[in-house]
Amino acid sequence: MKSKILIQLDSDNQPSVFDGVVAVDAGVDQLFRHGGVRPADVRNLVYGAIFTRGVKDLRHTAIFVGGADVSAGDKLMKEVLSTFFGPLRVSVMVDSNGANTTAAAAVLSAAQHVPLEGSKSVVLGGTGPVGQRAARLLARAGSHVRVGSRSKDRAAAICQSISNQVPGATLDSWSTAGTDDTAAAVEATDIVICAGTTGVELLPNSLRLAASQLKVAIDLNAVPPLGIGGIEVMDKGCERDGVIGYGAIGVGGTKMEIHKSVVVKLFEAADQIFDAEQIYEVGQLLVQK
Amino acid sequence: MKSKILIQLDSDNQPSVFDGVVAVDAGVDQLFRHGGVRPADVRNLVYGAIFTRGVKDLRHTAIFVGGADVSAGDKLMKEVLSTFFGPLRVSVMVDSNGANTTAAAAVLSAAQHVPLEGSKSVVLGGTGPVGQRAARLLARAGSHVRVGSRSKDRAAAICQSISNQVPGATLDSWSTAGTDDTAAAVEATDIVICAGTTGVELLPNSLRLAASQLKVAIDLNAVPPLGIGGIEVMDKGCERDGVIGYGAIGVGGTKMEIHKSVVVKLFEAADQIFDAEQIYEVGQLLVQK
Amino acid sequence: MKSKILIQLDSDNQPSVFDGVVAVDAGVDQLFRHGGVRPADVRNLVYGAIFTRGVKDLRHTAIFVGGADVSAGDKLMKEVLSTFFGPLRVSVMVDSNGANTTAAAAVLSAAQHVPLEGSKSVVLGGTGPVGQRAARLLARAGSHVRVGSRSKDRAAAICQSISNQVPGATLDSWSTAGTDDTAAAVEATDIVICAGTTGVELLPNSLRLAASQLKVAIDLNAVPPLGIGGIEVMDKGCERDGVIGYGAIGVGGTKMEIHKSVVVKLFEAADQIFDAEQIYEVGQLLVQK
């Protein structure tokens, strides 16, 4: 039986310890940790993955793309995929800055309480890496998604980009520059996911209480002041003034389970690609158990 | 059972192979080797250590701080400790340039032959990284310590610094700029530890023979000319003209045993800090066996 | 039983994944992967290998020198060997850019069909890293070797260099700048090995067919256009117009087996050096099985 080798391609100078520990706990035998990886480095590293073991054994090698910079990670991912050819490929997961697993865990948490199909949702901080992915996952599940941002233009660009990827999606861009704007963006929604910058309150408690239809409020900010007033960082599906609340650490446990499960799955076949959607699907299976 | 993960944070561009091999031989399952680590990198790496496994399992992850530059290592160590909070911490050992384990092994070797409490000792090259630590360990054990240096001012600064850390310590600064100075510094001492620069004889044989009260002479210099005349590099507790002698390799075996034992202990609990003193304590337990 | 530690010293910024996977599949327990290694880094890294385990256990540690730049690898290798002293040494293999294992596999493939002693052979692209080594191995086995290059001067320099290393070797330099030159270089040879630059056809099919005495044609170019007309990349000892043909992937399987076997052998004793010749000898044992 071949050792399970995970090749960690990280855009940061020091490769993530977080991703390394999760990989080890997911049963990886040998971790090849590469920091400071640039797109030009990728081809050769991937050749080393696909030319060393027979096609039959390629499922025992896999690639993880990470690093704090989500767009740098996406560039590395693109290079990885373009290097594969025919059966010469290994499974690969991309989770730069934990954005994919976090977005999947957040949407999955919402789905425990509200059927997403036909729901109304709003993502505050919807143009950041986690926000974009959460909006995309919600749209794909059939939710009518409002993308909130201080800049309505940037929100509109994200809506357009997601619409291109998800045919039939219903998305609207909302400004959340001021209090009135934010109140309007949240009004008449079932779900709010707050994926804004660390330490900024995007939805004060008063606005949250005013949003009369709101059923689930999910805040992904772990550093006070938190992103949604009245939701605590440890909340995990508890009731807060008639709303089901999730805080960053509450979602974090699910995120970690999803991350670990995807790493386990990487070694089940050699032809898998785990980006936001596939990671979300793994999360769905986990939750059903 | 979780794998034992040791995170090696090294200030050198190429992380130490020495520290890596010792870690493997101490039973570490997965070694995360980071070279070129700067203080600004530390927080994120430590987060990866403390946020990935449950509090109950944090004892299976640990951190080792090393590199040739002892003061750079101390800065990394400070950052590591300042990142921990509450129960979110892992055990950590600092041994940049082997200074802590070497100083511990040297003082421990002396203690095999002379009760340290109330003894008189002199550390030549006492302002260097190993010398400082040896002086501190001797002072803490109740020895009256002379810190010798070509510069009396630097020696005095070290004495002051150690006094601040070890209440009640008795320390004196001695110039060892010339032969007469050195002879005076060694006179009426029981123990001399020579921790000077590689390839410089700090205590010629004639001065050593003249120090009538001397019982133990420990030289930590492995490259000829050695630091103490008449002591050989392989000496390990043998008699040399009425004095018990230790050379660098003689001390090195004990140093290695201490290093390995501390790495083993890192994984016994999550809240341990191994700096010079705690490393010395581990050495004491080893010797008692 | 000590863990098998392989220290990978790679001159490229990102250490080779290829060499890492082969090492793992050869049974290495712990891989210490160093990228961007310069000659000045080597001494300290090697000290870490030779000063950590007792002399009796040094055979459980080994060094692999690699990287895309063969001459950089040779410089690292020289530093490694100059750091060893007395019994303080570990076994070491150098295979920068796979040049040694590829050359060994190519010559070994030829030897399956033509007794090398007294044979006539030509190496096209004979001044490159693989070509030089193939020529040296052929010369040492008693073949009369023609070294072909666009520059006859460079070919002559390689012949001289090999003659200095292999007393009694028979080598001639040949220009292969034009079609007539190339035809002459191949005429009356038993073996042609094509080790030229990727994507350049050095021996068109018509010239190959015209070389009436040719018995084995080995092409090490994997990217079309291939180096020898009429030989396919997957060929492994099959007949092509009366000639036994080998393509890059056909040779590659043998190369991989040799690489893996040498890594296994690294851990059988602490005093072995595996450069082209010793790697070739391991290949001979493999083929005899």
Side-chain angles (χ1 to χ4, degrees):
Chain A
M1 182 70 164
K2 295 275 179 188
S3 295
K4 288 181 201 166
I5 299 176
L6 185 66
I7 301 158
Q8 185 181 358
L9 304 182
D10 198 303
S11 59
D12 296 344
N13 276 335
Q14 299 292 349
S16 164
V17 164
F18 189 103
D19 296 332
V21 174
V22 175
V24 166
D25 286 348
V28 166
D29 296 307
Q30 298 275 355
L31 198 52
F32 289 7
R33 305 174 74 232
H34 292 262
V37 180
R38 297 154 310 167
D41 300 324
V42 168
R43 182 161 296 263
N44 224 28
L45 297 170
V46 174
Y47 280 160
I50 64 180
F51 288 146
T52 34
R53 292 172 153 185
V55 167
K56 204 175 36 126
D57 283 324
L58 283 177
R59 70 186 176 88
H60 302 297
T61 308
I63 294 173
F64 178 92
V65 175
D69 182 337
V70 173
S71 103
D74 285 346
K75 289 196 186 92
L76 296 181
M77 183 67 172
K78 206 174 149 190
E79 279 295 311
V80 168
L81 296 177
S82 80
T83 304
F84 295 155
F85 59 98
L88 294 176
R89 59 184 62 244
V90 299
S91 287
V92 54
M93 170 181 190
V94 56
D95 195 30
S96 315
N97 211 19
N100 281 335
T101 48
T102 302
V107 174
L108 214 61
S109 298
Q112 303 315 298
H113 309 281
V114 178
L116 299 182
E117 176 78 44
S119 70
K120 291 192 170 166
S121 57
V122 58
V123 181
L124 302 178
T127 59
V130 175
Q132 285 183 38
R133 282 161 174 76
R136 201 169 85 205
L137 293 174
L138 286 166
R140 214 179 278 275
S143 183
H144 298 206
V145 185
R146 300 175 182 180
V147 174
S149 170
R150 274 166 305 170
S151 154
K152 196 170 186 301
D153 285 354
R154 271 190 291 144
I158 294 299
C159 290
Q160 187 56 56
S161 159
I162 297 176
S163 293
N164 293 344
Q165 296 171 69
V166 186
T170 315
L171 293 125
D172 297 300
S173 56
W174 289 69
S175 166
T176 55
T179 304
D180 291 353
D181 283 354
T182 302
V186 178
E187 184 49 39
T189 61
D190 306 297
I191 299 162
V192 57
I193 292 178
C194 180
T197 315
T198 277
V200 176
E201 188 183 65
L202 289 185
L203 186 66
N205 202 14
S206 57
L207 298 191
R208 179 174 73 83
L209 293 171
S212 56
Q213 193 181 316
L214 201 59
K215 296 187 186 68
V216 187
I218 297 174
D219 183 18
L220 301 175
N221 182 354
V223 180
L226 300 181
I228 303 182
I231 304 296
E232 303 291 328
V233 71
M234 307 289 290
D235 283 358
K236 191 173 181 180
C238 58
E239 206 220 282
R240 295 278 179 193
D241 313 306
V243 167
I244 302 290
Y246 283 86
I249 296 181
V251 173
T254 305
K255 172 211 177 319
M256 183 70 84
E257 282 309 302
I258 296 175
H259 185 161
K260 208 183 291 184
S261 295
V262 175
V263 176
V264 169
K265 278 188 186 292
L266 282 171
F267 298 94
E268 293 179 356
D271 59 356
Q272 308 166 92
I273 298 169
F274 291 99
D275 208 326
E277 277 74 9
Q278 298 83 5
I279 289 171
Y280 180 70
E281 284 169 25
V282 172
Q284 285 182 302
L285 294 173
L286 268 185
V287 164
Q288 285 162 13
K289 276 182 190 165
Chain B
M1 183 69 166
K2 296 274 180 188
S3 295
K4 288 181 201 165
I5 299 177
L6 185 66
I7 301 159
Q8 185 180 0
L9 304 182
D10 198 304
S11 59
D12 295 344
N13 277 335
Q14 299 291 349
S16 164
V17 165
F18 189 103
D19 296 332
V21 174
V22 175
V24 167
D25 286 349
V28 166
D29 296 308
Q30 297 275 355
L31 197 52
F32 289 7
R33 306 174 75 231
H34 292 262
V37 180
R38 295 153 312 167
D41 300 324
V42 168
R43 183 160 295 264
N44 223 27
L45 297 170
V46 173
Y47 280 160
I50 63 181
F51 287 146
T52 35
R53 293 172 153 184
V55 167
K56 205 175 37 124
D57 284 322
L58 284 177
R59 70 186 176 89
H60 302 297
T61 307
I63 294 173
F64 178 93
V65 175
D69 182 337
V70 174
S71 102
D74 285 347
K75 289 195 185 94
L76 295 180
M77 182 68 172
K78 207 175 148 188
E79 279 295 311
V80 168
L81 297 178
S82 79
T83 304
F84 295 154
F85 60 97
L88 294 176
R89 59 184 62 245
V90 299
S91 288
V92 54
M93 171 183 189
V94 56
D95 195 30
S96 315
N97 210 21
N100 281 336
T101 47
T102 301
V107 173
L108 214 60
S109 299
Q112 302 316 297
H113 308 281
V114 176
L116 298 183
E117 176 77 43
S119 69
K120 291 192 170 166
S121 57
V122 58
V123 181
L124 303 177
T127 59
V130 174
Q132 285 183 39
R133 283 161 174 77
R136 201 168 83 206
L137 294 175
L138 286 166
R140 215 178 277 273
S143 183
H144 298 207
V145 186
R146 298 175 182 180
V147 174
S149 169
R150 273 166 306 172
S151 154
K152 196 169 186 302
D153 284 354
R154 272 191 290 145
I158 294 299
C159 289
Q160 187 57 56
S161 158
I162 296 176
S163 292
N164 293 344
Q165 297 171 68
V166 186
T170 314
L171 293 124
D172 298 299
S173 56
W174 290 69
S175 164
T176 56
T179 304
D180 290 354
D181 283 353
T182 302
V186 179
E187 183 51 39
T189 62
D190 305 297
I191 299 162
V192 57
I193 293 178
C194 181
T197 316
T198 276
V200 175
E201 188 184 65
L202 289 185
L203 186 64
N205 203 14
S206 57
L207 298 191
R208 179 174 73 85
L209 294 171
S212 57
Q213 193 180 317
L214 201 59
K215 296 188 186 68
V216 187
I218 296 175
D219 182 19
L220 300 176
N221 182 353
V223 180
L226 301 181
I228 303 181
I231 304 295
E232 303 291 328
V233 72
M234 307 288 291
D235 283 358
K236 192 173 180 179
C238 59
E239 206 221 283
R240 295 279 178 192
D241 312 308
V243 168
I244 301 290
Y246 283 85
I249 295 181
V251 173
T254 305
K255 171 211 177 320
M256 183 71 84
E257 281 309 301
I258 295 175
H259 185 163
K260 207 182 291 182
S261 295
V262 174
V263 176
V264 169
K265 278 187 185 293
L266 282 171
F267 297 95
E268 292 178 357
D271 58 355
Q272 307 166 92
I273 297 169
F274 291 98
D275 207 325
E277 277 74 9
Q278 299 83 3
I279 289 171
Y280 180 71
E281 283 169 26
V282 172
Q284 286 182 303
L285 293 173
L286 268 185
V287 164
Q288 284 162 15
K289 277 182 189 161
Chain C
M1 183 69 165
K2 295 276 180 187
S3 295
K4 288 180 200 165
I5 299 177
L6 185 67
I7 301 159
Q8 185 180 358
L9 304 182
D10 198 303
S11 60
D12 296 344
N13 277 335
Q14 299 292 348
S16 164
V17 165
F18 189 103
D19 295 332
V21 175
V22 176
V24 167
D25 286 348
V28 166
D29 296 307
Q30 297 276 355
L31 198 52
F32 289 7
R33 305 174 73 231
H34 292 262
V37 179
R38 296 153 310 167
D41 300 324
V42 168
R43 182 161 295 263
N44 223 28
L45 297 170
V46 174
Y47 281 160
I50 63 180
F51 287 147
T52 35
R53 293 172 153 185
V55 167
K56 205 175 37 132
D57 283 323
L58 283 177
R59 70 186 176 89
H60 302 297
T61 308
I63 294 173
F64 178 93
V65 175
D69 181 337
V70 174
S71 102
D74 285 347
K75 288 196 186 91
L76 296 180
M77 182 67 171
K78 206 174 149 190
E79 280 294 312
V80 168
L81 297 177
S82 79
T83 304
F84 295 154
F85 59 98
L88 293 177
R89 59 184 63 243
V90 299
S91 287
V92 53
M93 170 183 189
V94 56
D95 196 29
S96 314
N97 211 19
N100 281 335
T101 48
T102 302
V107 173
L108 214 60
S109 298
Q112 303 314 298
H113 308 282
V114 178
L116 299 183
E117 176 78 43
S119 69
K120 292 191 171 168
S121 58
V122 57
V123 181
L124 303 177
T127 60
V130 174
Q132 285 183 39
R133 282 161 174 77
R136 201 169 84 205
L137 294 174
L138 286 166
R140 214 179 278 274
S143 183
H144 298 206
V145 186
R146 299 174 182 180
V147 174
S149 169
R150 274 166 305 172
S151 153
K152 195 169 186 301
D153 284 354
R154 272 190 291 146
I158 294 299
C159 289
Q160 186 57 55
S161 158
I162 296 175
S163 293
N164 294 345
Q165 297 171 69
V166 185
T170 315
L171 293 125
D172 297 300
S173 54
W174 290 70
S175 166
T176 56
T179 303
D180 291 354
D181 283 353
T182 302
V186 178
E187 185 50 40
T189 61
D190 306 298
I191 299 161
V192 56
I193 293 177
C194 181
T197 315
T198 277
V200 176
E201 188 183 66
L202 288 185
L203 186 65
N205 203 13
S206 58
L207 297 192
R208 179 175 72 85
L209 294 170
S212 56
Q213 193 181 318
L214 201 60
K215 297 187 184 69
V216 187
I218 296 174
D219 182 19
L220 300 175
N221 182 354
V223 180
L226 300 182
I228 303 181
I231 304 295
E232 303 291 328
V233 71
M234 307 288 292
D235 284 358
K236 192 175 179 177
C238 59
E239 207 222 281
R240 295 277 178 193
D241 313 308
V243 168
I244 301 290
Y246 283 86
I249 295 181
V251 173
T254 305
K255 171 211 176 320
M256 184 70 84
E257 281 309 301
I258 295 174
H259 185 161
K260 207 182 291 183
S261 295
V262 175
V263 177
V264 169
K265 278 187 185 293
L266 282 171
F267 297 95
E268 292 178 356
D271 59 355
Q272 307 167 91
I273 298 169
F274 291 99
D275 208 324
E277 277 74 10
Q278 299 82 4
I279 289 172
Y280 180 71
E281 283 169 25
V282 172
Q284 285 182 303
L285 294 174
L286 268 185
V287 164
Q288 285 163 14
K289 277 183 189 163

